[in-house]
Amino acid sequence: MDDEVILLDFWPSPFGVRARIAVREKGVEFEYREENLRDKSSLLLQMNPVHKKIPVLIHNGKPVCESMNVVQYIDEVWSDKNPLLPSDPYQRAQARFWVDFIDTKVYEPADKIWSTKGEVQETAKKEYIEALKILESELGDKPYFGGDNFGFVDIAMTGYYMWFEASEKCGNFSIEPECPTLMASAKRCLQRDSVVNSVPDPEKIVEFALKIRKIYCV
């Protein structure tokens, strides 16, 4: 029997795109279902009753929630193609460490860049660049965080890469002069077929971000 794979998602989400990329890296056929986060579907509420958030991967009727948990599940279930996590236990632990760093030290200031202004936004921009510089140091001269192979940490960061342009426009700053090596890796990631087919047009994300800023009255 063929696997039934459904992905509950929201198009500009930096978290949802991780699941989209992972299934495409594995060549898994799936049904994409767009969620209205202001009027969440009964299926989303049923499949993720705790957090009520996207993404949710529904595999043969069973839900898997939280973006990087979804990515790891995809890597383990469809393990015969394009491994996303390294096989070495230490390297796997390191990859999970950096994903945790990304979802705390990058996410928090990134969120404030497009939702605040003035001194709060200026502080957020500094914290954001500081976090990106730490990641750039970890990246070193490797093409990807996974070395020669696009992997777990790269997928986590691609959700932020697709928001770089919107962050720059909302915050009136430029990332590339501060983090040229990281930006080169970002461009490399954004050219992968799995990513091209998963991320929205950057201009649409900019439009969405500016609309959200108006809602926040900034």
Side-chain angles (χ1 to χ4, degrees), residues 6 98 197 218:
I6 299 169
W98 286 110
N197 292 321
V218 295

Side-chain angles (χ1 to χ4, degrees), residues 5-217:
V5 181
I6 299 169
L7 180 62
L8 308 183
D9 202 351
F10 179 50
W11 69 270
S13 171
F15 304 106
V17 76
R18 295 166 167 180
R20 278 174 257 162
I21 293 167
V23 288
R24 289 186 168 114
E25 280 288 323
K26 295 289 186 174
V28 176
E29 295 291 328
F30 70 102
E31 178 186 345
Y32 177 91
R33 294 192 188 177
E34 179 75 6
E35 283 288 332
N36 178 352
L37 300 187
R38 291 188 174 185
D39 184 19
K40 297 174 183 179
S41 71
S42 58
L43 182 61
L44 175 59
L45 299 177
Q46 176 191 349
M47 291 291 152
N48 190 0
V50 176
H51 295 303
K52 304 177 177 62
K53 293 180 178 179
I54 57 92
V56 179
L57 185 84
I58 307 170
H59 182 206
N60 295 332
K62 296 178 180 179
V64 183
C65 306
E66 295 298 297
S67 65
M68 295 311 293
N69 187 44
V70 170
V71 172
Q72 185 165 348
Y73 176 84
I74 291 166
D75 194 39
E76 292 174 355
V77 171
W78 292 280
S79 58
D80 58 331
K81 182 181 179 183
N82 290 356
L84 303 175
L85 272 159
S87 58
D88 177 74
Y90 177 75
Q91 292 179 353
R92 290 170 75 90
Q94 288 298 101
R96 287 191 289 264
F97 170 86
W98 286 110
V99 166
D100 181 70
F101 176 89
I102 289 164
D103 282 344
T104 52
K105 298 299 185 181
V106 176
Y107 171 74
E108 291 171 8
D111 183 62
K112 290 177 182 176
I113 287 170
W114 58 263
S115 64
T116 66
K117 60 182 178 180
E119 190 175 331
V120 174
Q121 189 191 57
E122 289 302 312
T123 300
K125 287 192 291 184
K126 290 177 184 176
E127 292 175 351
Y128 187 58
I129 291 297
E130 285 172 5
L132 294 182
K133 284 183 174 180
I134 291 171
L135 285 164
E136 185 173 62
S137 177
E138 169 60 20
L139 176 67
D141 59 1
K142 303 187 296 292
Y144 300 106
F145 284 99
D148 291 331
N149 299 313
F150 179 80
F152 196 65
V153 181
D154 303 292
I155 288 176
M157 272 304 293
T158 299
Y160 294 95
Y161 294 155
M162 77 179 200
W163 271 79
F164 270 4
E165 186 174 334
S167 297
E168 289 176 327
K169 290 196 175 180
C170 289
N172 191 28
F173 73 118
S174 183
I175 296 168
E176 188 162 14
E178 300 284 350
C179 305
T181 304
L182 182 68
M183 185 61 83
S185 184
K187 291 175 181 177
R188 195 174 293 116
C189 291
L190 291 169
Q191 290 171 352
R192 289 185 70 83
D193 287 344
S194 64
V195 177
V196 169
N197 292 321
S198 299
V199 303
D201 185 321
E203 285 302 317
K204 289 186 177 180
I205 298 177
V206 171
E207 290 173 13
F208 176 78
L210 294 175
K211 186 187 296 184
I212 294 297
R213 277 181 72 77
K214 288 183 179 178
I215 293 173
Y216 278 90
C217 301

